[in-house]
Amino acid sequence: MLAKTKILVTILAMGSLEKEIKTWFTNHVKDDGHPYSLDKHQAAIIADSHKNTLVTARAGSGKTRTIVAKIVFLLAHEHIEPEKIIVFAFNRKAKTEINERLTKITYNNRPLFKKPPHLATTFHAFAYQILGGKKILDGKIITESQENTILRNITKKYLLAKTDFATLAHQSQIAKQFIIKTEQKFFKNYAELDQKIEIEKNTELQTLNRIFKDYQRELTAKNLINFNQMMEKASSYLEILARDATTDKTTPTVTKNLNFSYIFVDEYQDFSLLFLNLIQSLRQICPDSHLLAVGDDWQAINRFAGSDVEYFLHFENYFTEDCAKLFIPTNYRSGKQIVKNANFFMGQALKDYNGCKSGNKNKAAIYLKNIAYHQNTTEKTNKTPLLLKNYLETIIQIIKENTGKTVKILHRNNVLSFRNWSLEKFVNLVREQVVREHILTENAASALISESTIHRSKGLEADVVILLEIDAEKFPGKDKTGGLYHIFGETEQTLFSDEARLFYVALTRPKEKLYILSKTTKIVKETKKYNFLSYLNEDWLNPL
């Protein structure tokens, strides 16, 4: 009975603290001139004082807003020095957004910062700086162009038959993915990979491993390193600094600059073994630092780049001391029907029912359109394929019905299923057509209509989102490597789960309306598993 009473007192105390924090923000903090409001779940993140905290922030729940609020609270209320806080973002855009948002904050009507601070950085930029920056690494970081050339030249040696550029480019891409995964999973023990491949007796894996070793030798010969190797070197350097600090061998200024009190990790669902090693190495220098990791496992879509959602799902296994897990469940971007169906989809596809609720009061709807296709004898001579014309006409009608709304057209890839038609080329045609039909002016068409692959759309939003070619066995796609990557722990299920999370990202981009266009809306038994439409609630779908 006593234990239950203590728990109740703790809960009540936390609730009171959350209210105090919300009031404090309302009274003292403004964001670009507006009062900084927080919901109770966001306030709970600000109130949290555990050493290791994982925050699950669902799509549209104000993840970045909460991170910025936590920083503001630490600086203005707790009087933590800015130099004691570091935020790891996963790309330059996210880093810049966090730093710029901080410049728009006023505390008691005075700017918190007079110019953009540098609290947020990327993992790669951090590694680059601690290894000496431009002075030491100038010209040593391999460029994408250099890497592609090296990989094509190496891959070409191992192709048994004469091949065209398209095939060579495809094989080089497979080799590149193999190298990324190898460096992420086995960077401290390549001998383990050799043993696994030896057991497999798989010729393709053996060839890819030879390409990887040639790639390493080529980089060494040219005095180049890639980003993964830079991360590895940075982790090793931090470990040396930490070890030397205990024996007074290191310069005090060096370790002082790395003695953080608070470490933030944004987009934690995209964490990898390399990132884990960097954080753990950094914490050897600042063992008392607090770690706040924020992300959404439902949006873990970067396995192809070496990320592993395992670090999110089992956070407590990697950061065991004084660990807590918190949740921000309210999607403020999308309307109720969109959020409900996105939750339903994840429940059906991944058996994960830990969804969110909508905080968007606008009406919302999902429309499904079967793009009719009847081939005729003139199609082959048409400049624009008939089926593509049907897509075009449908999209023009959607834009006409939503005049003045922002429209984002999403596709699984940069290339459509029509020869010589890229996503960009098709959307340019859409813009030209709406101008030609006097639906929008040229400036309005350019401003309101945009396109993106679904991968690149993460973090973006629009009033209206159109999903192109959501066809069975195309999205979700099947493993195109023939199961080569199972040595990295990938299975048919992990690949399907990755595709499902990617589709969830697509579902949660719109504020008001989502249009799903497909030529396979009829669900048949043979392709049911590989037809994402079968995982949606048809009672919540509107025919178009």
Side-chain angles (χ1 to χ4, degrees), residues 55-105:
V55 176
T56 300
R58 290 288 184 239
S61 63
K63 171 179 64 67
T64 304
R65 181 178 180 80
T66 305
I67 290 174
V68 169
K70 180 83 172 182
I71 295 170
V72 170
F73 188 78
L74 292 173
L75 294 172
H77 189 274
E78 300 299 297
H79 308 294
I80 302 297
E81 297 175 2
E83 295 77 18
K84 293 291 185 179
I85 300 172
I86 187 168
V87 184
F88 288 103
F90 272 76
N91 55 52
R92 283 176 288 184
K93 180 182 176 183
K95 172 202 74 173
T96 301
E97 181 184 1
I98 292 170
N99 287 332
E100 288 183 347
R101 282 201 189 188
L102 285 168
T103 64
K104 296 178 181 179
I105 300 296

Side-chain angles (χ1 to χ4, degrees), residues 18-19 22 38-45 327 329 332 357:
E18 290 166 9
K19 289 179 181 178
K22 289 174 67 175
L38 297 169
D39 67 26
K40 65 178 182 179
H41 301 285
Q42 294 166 341
I45 311 304
F327 192 43
Y332 292 101
K357 61 181 181 179

